[in-house]
């Protein structure tokens, strides 16, 4: 189980390689894990949005969590996504992840439906109450259309095993407000979910980031964190600027294919995206090559 002092640093939401039948490719998943661990990351998040959790049935999600826990082998904490539309399904996923040996859960706001703040509070409270694992909330209003407001976050942060939030939002003011209203709570941490705001979140007192680009360039994202923690703010900012062109490539294809395409280009085979998503166009692939080459990730 996650020790709160270990909720920090760079936590990549790892891509999920799939085979030709769109089932989890265990060997491919292990390659991804090895790549990010070699890059010095501080945790591994399986079944995030970059991991195409929404495209995997329960058995494939279980398979992915079990394989990740087994291969990470306690080197860093494993965060398992337990996200679905209904409270019942999230609780089922939470229990599966706990049984599989995950160290913590990451739970996204519901998708498609539009619950009230009271309904969202009861949703997260019920999930947290169903498990002994720490819960990291996951706010991604652009994808789900549901937003964890600052007032709702204040209430959720008081639930004992809700220990933090990943804010994947371009509303950086909201991230700052999350940190302001939880500033006195040692048991609650805020992480950036936008790769543009890693340094900014750290500067305001955040604990780290859940960064999709850390699938591709883990060492560069870790460099932002390590330099910041060492007091080298100029170096941390420089690393942040260096990361921006890679984050800008998200627009080159339909989310979340781009990180998979980058890894394939780098010689880390992760297969296809789950349909209906398709690979980037040949023209965009060439642009991806240029970005990767500029970061010395390919020759």
């Amino acid at each position: 189980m996650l020790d709160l002092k270990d909720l920090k640093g760079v936590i990549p939401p790892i891509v999920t390689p799939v085979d030709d039948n769109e089932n989890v490719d265990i060997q491919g998943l292990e390659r991804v894990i090895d790549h990010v661990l070699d890059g010095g990351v501080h945790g591994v998040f399986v079944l995030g949005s970059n991991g195409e959790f929404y495209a995997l049935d329960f058995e494939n999600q279980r398979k992915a969590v079990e394989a990740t826990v087994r291969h990470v082998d306690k080197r860093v904490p494993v965060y398992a996504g337990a996200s679905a539309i209904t409270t019942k399904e999230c609780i089922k996923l939470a229990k599966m992840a706990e049984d599989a040996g995950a160290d913590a859960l990451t739970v996204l706001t519901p998708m498609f439906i539009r619950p009230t703040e009271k309904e969202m509070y009861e949703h997260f409270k019920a999930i947290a109450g169903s498990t002994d694992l720490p819960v990291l909330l996951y706010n991604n209003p652009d994808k789900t259309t549901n937003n964890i407001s600052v007032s709702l976050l204040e209430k959720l942060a008081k639930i004992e095993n809700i220990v933090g939030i990943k804010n994947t939002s371009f509303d950086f003011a909201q991230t700052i407000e999350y940190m302001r209203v939880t500033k006195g709570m040692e048991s609650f941490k805020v992480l950036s979910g936008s790769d543009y705001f890693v340094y900014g979140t750290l500067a305001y007192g955040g604990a780290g980031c859940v960064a999709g680009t850390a699938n591709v360039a883990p060492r560069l994202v870790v460099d932002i964190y390590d330099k910041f923690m060492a007091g080298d703010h100029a170096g941390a900012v420089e690393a942040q600027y260096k990361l921006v062109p890679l984050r800008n490539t998200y627009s080159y294809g339909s989310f979340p294919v781009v990180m998979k395409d980058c890894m394939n280009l780098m010689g880390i085979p992760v297969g296809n995206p789950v349909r209906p998503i398709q690979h980037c166009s040949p023209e965009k692939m060439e642009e991806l090559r240029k970005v990767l080459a500029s970061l010395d990730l390919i020759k």
Side-chain angles (χ1 to χ4, degrees):
M1 189 180 299
L2 179 73
D3 188 319
L4 281 179
K5 68 179 174 54
D6 295 324
L7 176 51
K8 65 181 182 182
V10 176
I11 306 163
I14 55 173
V15 303
T16 307
V18 295
D19 61 23
D20 290 342
N21 294 314
E22 298 185 340
N23 293 313
V24 175
D25 170 10
I26 299 296
Q27 288 185 322
L29 187 59
E30 290 174 350
R31 281 192 295 268
V32 173
I33 293 167
D34 288 340
H35 174 65
V36 299
L37 289 179
D38 287 346
V41 302
H42 306 87
V44 170
F45 171 23
V46 61
L47 299 180
S49 51
N50 262 284
E52 298 170 288
F53 77 91
Y54 53 84
L56 303 172
D57 61 22
F58 181 82
E59 283 309 308
N60 270 288
Q61 292 200 41
R62 180 182 57 76
K63 189 176 172 184
V65 175
E66 289 177 349
T68 302
V69 168
R70 183 171 60 248
H71 196 66
V72 169
D73 194 26
K74 302 189 184 305
R75 287 175 284 178
V76 296
V78 172
Y79 301 76
S83 299
I85 293 175
T86 65
T87 308
K88 177 182 178 181
E89 187 66 17
C90 288
I91 289 172
K92 181 180 177 182
L93 290 166
K95 290 179 175 176
M96 174 273 285
E98 185 168 5
D99 290 344
D103 297 292
L105 301 175
T106 304
V107 186
L108 182 63
T109 53
M111 300 135 271
F112 183 68
I113 57 173
R114 294 296 299 272
T116 64
E117 289 215 346
K118 180 179 183 300
E119 288 165 340
M120 275 216 282
Y121 175 82
E122 294 297 337
H123 171 72
F124 285 118
K125 181 182 177 184
I127 297 163
S130 74
T131 178
D132 290 328
L133 292 179
V135 174
L136 180 68
L137 302 172
Y138 177 4
N139 192 47
N140 193 341
D142 184 53
K143 293 289 185 290
T144 69
T145 73
N146 289 308
N147 180 53
I148 298 175
S149 70
V150 176
S151 60
L152 176 57
L153 189 274
E154 274 192 278
K155 295 174 190 150
L156 289 169
K158 292 172 183 171
I159 296 172
E160 186 176 1
N161 62 326
I162 293 182
V163 297
I165 187 166
K166 166 202 174 187
N167 192 28
T168 304
S169 168
F170 288 140
D171 183 0
F172 188 55
Q174 185 180 53
T175 298
I176 295 169
E177 279 289 274
Y178 283 169
M179 289 185 273
R180 183 183 67 81
V181 300
T182 60
K183 191 167 181 246
M185 302 175 64
E186 292 183 8
S187 61
F188 193 89
K189 298 184 179 181
V190 177
L191 294 93
S192 172
S194 169
D195 303 34
Y196 293 113
F197 301 142
V198 180
Y199 175 82
T201 300
L202 292 170
Y204 271 94
C209 64
V210 180
T213 53
N215 277 284
V216 173
R219 288 187 187 280
L220 177 56
V221 187
V222 168
D223 205 30
I224 302 170
Y225 179 80
D226 284 350
K227 284 181 174 173
F228 180 89
M229 296 306 291
D232 179 8
H233 290 265
V237 169
E238 185 58 35
Q240 176 71 82
Y241 281 138
K242 192 174 179 183
L243 182 66
V244 168
L246 180 60
R247 175 57 183 82
N248 286 344
T249 66
Y250 271 43
S251 64
Y252 288 13
S254 298
F255 183 83
V257 70
V258 174
M259 293 300 99
K260 273 191 167 179
D261 280 344
C262 284
M263 297 185 82
N264 284 326
L265 289 170
M266 290 165 60
I268 304 167
V270 294
N272 300 314
V274 178
R275 292 169 293 181
I277 303 303
Q278 298 181 12
H279 291 289
C280 292
S281 69
E283 295 78 18
K284 289 299 182 184
M285 284 288 204
E286 192 53 42
E287 290 186 37
L288 278 181
R289 285 180 192 277
K290 291 176 183 175
V291 173
L292 294 173
S294 73
L295 295 173
D296 295 321
L297 295 171
I298 61 173
K299 302 204 179 201

